Amino acid sequence: MEQLEQFTTPVDAVVSRMRALDAALDARDGVAVFNRVYLTVTEETDRRLDSGRFPDQHTALTLDVRFVQRYLSAVDAVTDGLRPPACWRPLFQFRRHPGVRPLQFALAGINAHIGHDLALAVVDACRTLDCEPDELESEFDRVGDLLTALEERVREDLMPGPDLLRIADPLTHLLGAWSLERARDATWAAARALWALRELPDLTVEFTDRLDAAVGFAGRMMLTPLPD
């Protein structure tokens, strides 16, 4: 697998990889549920890039590809028999659990990707573009806005109907404790902190590990199995 520092493939290539995953995975697989959700966002981003709707396409492309590749790297790690980052482990561990609902899988993936991957992707992009995080804030906000819209649609599409209130009530309670807006704010702060620590490798590793573990803990709670 190509190292992140050398990854310059356009969004078209990562979309192709995600489509291949969608075709290969069982539709009920928790990773497949998240992959379908994220593929929708990535395809929309690709369309907007192709239509020239971003003022700085190079910056947008750099951040988007670095961001998507973090998720694909986690998938590759599992495929290769390696451990993915802690933030992704709950999703891969519970991906076939019959007591976990599709909405839980989707939001647990969004939690991992926003809470951990996006912060590191901002730092990756800053190194590639030789810029400060503040220069990427508008692109960061754009990614966040897309995911916010996606989260709203996911909740509407995957929440059980009124005939399944025995499931929906505990599900609403469980997932209501997590907020994408708060996760976005925390991620931006984490990205800036990581950039400030870039000349202190020991502290960078410790901060990154703690961020990874905290996001993974939240994901594990989100994937609590619920009764049939």
Side-chain angles (χ1 to χ4, degrees):
M1 181 179 65
E2 190 172 7
Q3 296 297 314
L4 286 171
E5 288 74 12
Q6 299 173 332
F7 191 85
T8 56
T9 306
V11 175
D12 288 348
V14 292
V15 166
S16 295
R17 284 233 28 220
M18 293 170 74
R19 286 175 178 164
L21 279 172
D22 185 51
L25 295 174
D26 186 299
R28 296 166 294 181
D29 185 314
V31 177
V33 173
F34 170 72
N35 189 78
R36 286 195 300 273
V37 165
Y38 192 28
L39 177 57
T40 301
V41 173
T42 309
E43 287 174 333
E44 176 62 22
T45 299
D46 198 21
R47 285 191 291 269
R48 294 186 184 191
L49 284 166
D50 288 343
S51 63
R53 293 172 63 181
F54 298 122
D56 187 342
Q57 288 206 349
H58 179 59
T59 297
L61 180 63
T62 300
L63 180 58
D64 286 331
V65 171
R66 297 289 179 176
F67 186 36
V68 179
Q69 184 62 12
R70 286 278 171 183
Y71 157 61
L72 295 175
S73 293
V75 173
D76 288 341
V78 174
T79 301
D80 293 341
L82 304 173
R83 295 185 80 192
C87 62
W88 286 106
R89 287 173 204 159
L91 181 59
F92 285 101
Q93 180 182 0
F94 287 88
R95 62 194 293 182
R96 297 181 181 89
H97 196 297
V100 180
R101 310 299 166 188
L103 178 60
Q104 293 172 268
F105 289 132
L107 294 185
I110 293 174
N111 168 68
H113 206 36
I114 282 282
H116 174 265
D117 292 354
L118 184 54
L120 273 61
V122 168
V123 174
D124 291 338
C126 285
R127 288 188 174 126
T128 299
L129 298 169
D130 192 23
C131 68
E132 297 290 321
D134 288 350
E135 296 176 59
L136 294 181
E137 188 169 7
S138 62
E139 292 304 322
F140 176 92
D141 288 340
R142 179 189 56 74
V143 170
D145 289 343
L146 278 171
L147 287 168
T148 297
L150 175 67
E151 185 210 20
E152 293 172 356
R153 190 166 68 210
V154 164
R155 287 182 184 269
E156 291 175 0
D157 291 348
L158 297 181
M159 178 64 77
D163 57 328
L164 296 175
L165 283 178
R166 192 164 62 88
I167 294 173
D169 282 349
L171 188 61
T172 300
H173 177 78
L174 177 65
L175 298 179
W178 182 81
S179 163
L180 179 58
E181 193 64 35
R182 291 196 298 270
R184 284 175 59 176
D185 291 343
T187 295
W188 182 244
R192 295 182 66 194
L194 282 168
W195 186 251
L197 292 172
R198 66 191 182 281
E199 303 299 334
L200 301 170
D202 290 345
L203 284 177
T204 297
V205 170
E206 181 178 354
F207 186 94
T208 302
D209 287 347
R210 290 181 182 274
L211 174 66
D212 191 18
V215 174
F217 178 77
R220 174 63 185 84
M221 294 300 100
M222 295 170 78
L223 293 174
T224 298
L226 298 173
D228 292 330

